[in-house]
Amino acid sequence: MLMRGVINKRGRALLFDIDGTLADTDALHLQAFNAVFGPYGHAFDRARAARELLGRSNLSISAQFLPDEPPERRAAVMAQKEEVFRSLAAGAVQPLPGLMALLDRAAAAAIPVVAVTNAPRANAELILHGLGLMDRFRAVVIGDELPHGKPHPLPYLEGLRAIDAVPERSVAFEDSRAGIAAATAAGIATVGMRTNLGHDELIAAGAALTAAAFDDADVLDLVMARLGGRL
């Protein structure tokens, strides 16, 4: 977990998943999964990937789809998939609409922001650097570096702890069922970003509301209600 010192007297925070939330990278993940998992008899379209892959840890994915391989081979296959993804994503990521404006408003209001992801650190840093956001985040929490990744709440609890935030004064942004489960289990109101799942699916997973962009009026209303004051 990467952390930068911060005094957070009011306990507020915005916490963001990375893939599919800061940027719509999931089509690139789908391409990488199909390239690497195809020889093992697996083929994914976007709907299946949203149901069975996105938001989950590499450990759980490899256990499900490579059950006959020894652990070291599973790890090697997943590493290959991530290498393919990084080659596709380098220089190709763009922020979701409204993200930069929301981060600017958070900075002006001295609200710390945290990244919470199941992605490997190399992937997370590639995307954050590609978006020019590495210096914006006070902490980067990697699920695979913890005893439990999403959908367990531990990554979000670690994100709160890193900046002395409290769940009732924080908002999370997620695009997957596993991510929403993790954030809501940590007690954080969560916005479901409609990059892969529809409104009904995100609400059923536990999202407080859904949005196509970070500057949707409902998003700003929720952030101001939870964090208090103006943003």
Side-chain angles (χ1 to χ4, degrees):
M1 177 168 55
L2 173 65
M3 292 187 294
R4 298 178 178 89
V6 61
I7 297 174
N8 189 11
K9 293 182 179 179
R10 300 181 70 182
R12 303 183 296 174
L14 298 178
L15 304 99
F16 297 83
D17 175 51
I18 294 180
D19 282 302
T21 299
L22 298 182
D24 188 0
T25 54
D26 293 330
L28 302 178
H29 279 289
L30 176 60
Q31 188 176 343
F33 270 117
N34 281 328
V36 175
F37 278 60
Y40 293 90
H42 300 295
F44 302 93
D45 59 17
R46 193 144 183 170
R48 185 185 179 197
R51 290 193 309 270
E52 301 180 20
L53 297 175
L54 302 180
R56 296 177 57 192
S57 70
N58 280 354
L59 187 63
S60 66
I61 290 171
S62 63
Q64 178 176 345
F65 293 102
L66 303 170
D68 298 327
E69 298 292 337
E72 61 272 15
R73 179 59 187 159
R74 293 179 189 174
V77 172
M78 294 308 302
Q80 181 186 3
K81 177 265 164 182
E82 300 303 355
E83 288 176 5
V84 172
F85 167 76
R86 288 192 292 272
S87 71
L88 295 169
V93 293
Q94 297 294 325
L96 258 61
L99 173 63
M100 297 307 189
L102 178 60
L103 293 177
D104 286 343
R105 295 176 75 159
I111 298 168
V113 297
V114 178
V116 182
T117 180
N118 271 350
R121 183 167 293 280
N123 291 22
E125 293 185 351
L126 180 145
I127 295 169
L128 292 174
H129 280 298
L131 295 174
L133 296 179
M134 198 68 194
D135 293 336
R136 296 277 196 130
F137 286 83
R138 301 292 181 88
V140 179
V141 179
I142 305 295
D144 279 351
E145 296 176 359
L146 299 172
H148 303 285
K150 305 173 190 177
H152 196 281
L154 181 59
Y156 274 99
L157 295 173
E158 284 295 298
L160 295 172
R161 185 189 62 80
I163 54 168
D164 296 323
V166 294
E168 58 269 21
R169 304 210 68 188
S170 300
V171 175
F173 297 87
E174 276 283 356
D175 74 307
S176 71
R177 294 179 180 87
I180 293 170
T184 56
I188 306 169
T190 305
V191 176
M193 303 304 295
R194 297 194 300 269
T195 49
N196 287 289
L197 299 176
H199 171 81
D200 290 345
E201 294 168 298
L202 292 164
I203 293 296
L209 59 88
T210 77
F214 286 97
D215 52 4
D216 282 7
D218 288 346
V219 171
L220 298 177
D221 288 346
L222 177 66
V223 170
M224 288 188 288
R226 293 285 290 192
L227 275 62
R230 298 180 63 185
L231 180 67

